Amino acid sequence: MPFDEYLDWMEEVAKECFRVLKDDGSFFFNIGDKPSDELRSLRVAERINKIFRLQNTLHWVKSIAAPEEDVNIGHYKPVNSDRFLNNCHEYIFHFTKQGDVELDKLSIGVPYQDKSNIGRWEKAKQDLRDRGNNWFIPYETVQSQKVHPAMFPTKLPEMCIKLHGLQKGKLVVLDPFAGSGSTAIAAKKLGCYYVCFEKDLEYCRIAEGLLNEAMSEQEANRLIKPLYSFGIS
Ligand SMILES: C[S@@+](CC[C@H](N)C(=O)[O-])C[C@H]1O[C@@H](n2cnc3c(N)ncnc32)[C@H](O)[C@@H]1O
């Protein structure tokens, strides 16, 4: 659809999400850019910010290369252009109602590289620090038999849910654009309720299949807690 229409539509989506979100809830909005239009996602975020307050901007880093440090990992899709760099990240905008939701940063924390920091700073009581806003999450290997063109790794919604805070009580996770159900799978793994919408019946079937698969894996691992699922509609 034309971009201006898309902006209006996203504002409507944001209004509806605001309506159903708890006052201390989080709204994570994932959007990727076209290399030829790097301002697109920021313009969408600006529009959503009319409804919500932008609390954090995260970068989902899909591939990272620092050969000098012996690092070169993740998904790389060559760009057919001499003008644009390969786009190796997508945005996750974290919106809340007032911009003041306390997060469980250490639930996705990382160990200190310099252990002498532990105890030196008042906040550094254990070997775990805030991961920051660059999240390196490569695609899962299942991408070789991709069942949805825009699937994200389940680790991405898992980290968002954990960051929001599993200790806040049993969470209800809602995804209005469920696709292959990655968010529902993450929610289910973490023992949350989930509600998903997807307009394409074929993707609903795929999501249900992947959810069942994920559930049987969990059962096999004896990790599962009894869950009540609203399912995919
Ligand atoms: C970018 S994909 C989401 C992929 C998902 N994150 C995953 O990991 O599979 C967006 C999905 O939204 C669905 N969609 C688009 N418009 C919709 C609408 N009005 N209501 C419900 N679903 C919609 C599309 O069919 C598509 O599957």
Side-chain angles (χ1 to χ4, degrees):
M1 70 177 67
F3 187 63
D4 282 340
E5 253 175 64
Y6 178 75
L7 282 177
D8 292 343
W9 184 42
M10 284 301 115
E11 189 176 332
E12 284 310 304
V13 170
K15 276 185 193 156
E16 291 305 307
C17 288
F18 190 97
R19 182 177 64 79
V20 297
L21 190 70
K22 284 177 78 172
D23 287 344
D24 61 351
S26 285
F27 175 47
F28 291 93
F29 186 87
N30 164 229
I31 182 164
D33 272 320
K34 282 200 288 189
S36 56
D37 186 1
E38 285 283 348
L39 285 176
R40 201 174 58 145
S41 40
L42 297 175
R43 287 177 63 198
V44 179
E46 190 178 38
R47 185 61 87 88
I48 294 175
N49 204 50
K50 280 172 70 180
I51 313 296
F52 280 96
R53 238 344 134 85
L54 182 62
Q55 189 168 321
N56 287 286
T57 299
L58 314 166
H59 303 266
W60 165 27
V61 178
K62 301 188 228 177
S63 87
I64 192 155
E68 307 77 8
E69 307 293 328
D70 226 4
V71 177
N72 194 346
I73 30 178
H75 172 83
Y76 179 83
K77 189 174 160 205
V79 170
N80 202 10
S81 160
D82 291 333
R83 288 184 296 159
F84 304 118
L85 295 171
N86 195 284
N87 200 346
C88 302
H89 88 119
E90 287 187 19
Y91 284 104
I92 313 286
F93 296 107
H94 171 227
F95 292 100
T96 55
K97 289 196 171 179
Q98 305 288 339
D100 59 359
V101 172
E102 275 187 33
L103 302 171
D104 187 2
K105 296 199 281 183
L106 295 190
S107 66
I108 55 164
V110 292
Y112 281 93
Q113 199 173 20
D114 176 357
K115 306 290 182 201
S116 73
N117 280 313
I118 307 160
R120 183 139 49 96
W121 311 109
E122 206 203 318
K123 282 254 177 192
K125 293 195 169 67
Q126 51 180 320
D127 188 8
L128 214 50
R129 67 162 177 84
D130 174 0
R131 176 184 293 252
N133 63 352
N134 284 334
W135 293 0
F136 174 58
I137 311 176
Y139 282 113
E140 286 149 16
T141 42
V142 75
Q143 288 293 304
S144 50
Q145 330 129 17
K146 236 173 170 188
V147 289
H148 187 286
M151 233 171 142
F152 47 49
T154 44
K155 193 169 171 201
L156 186 67
E158 251 180 76
M159 282 174 55
C160 294
I161 296 168
K162 283 183 177 168
L163 177 65
H164 174 73
L166 285 169
Q167 84 290 357
K168 288 182 174 131
K170 190 138 177 156
L171 302 179
V172 180
V173 177
L174 182 144
D175 186 350
F177 300 108
S180 61
S182 314
T183 307
I185 292 169
K188 194 161 203 168
K189 269 191 187 165
L190 296 173
C192 306
Y193 294 121
Y194 58 89
V195 185
C196 287
F197 303 98
E198 170 53 56
K199 69 172 184 181
D200 186 305
L201 189 58
E202 188 48 33
Y203 293 151
C204 287
R205 292 203 182 102
I206 288 169
E208 272 174 327
L210 291 175
L211 262 166
N212 289 337
E213 240 175 64
M215 200 166 79
S216 24
E217 266 171 40
Q218 269 199 330
E219 268 166 2
N221 292 332
R222 294 175 189 280
L223 285 173
I224 199 157
K225 292 189 218 144
L227 296 170
Y228 172 67
S229 97
F230 295 93
I232 302 281
S233 62

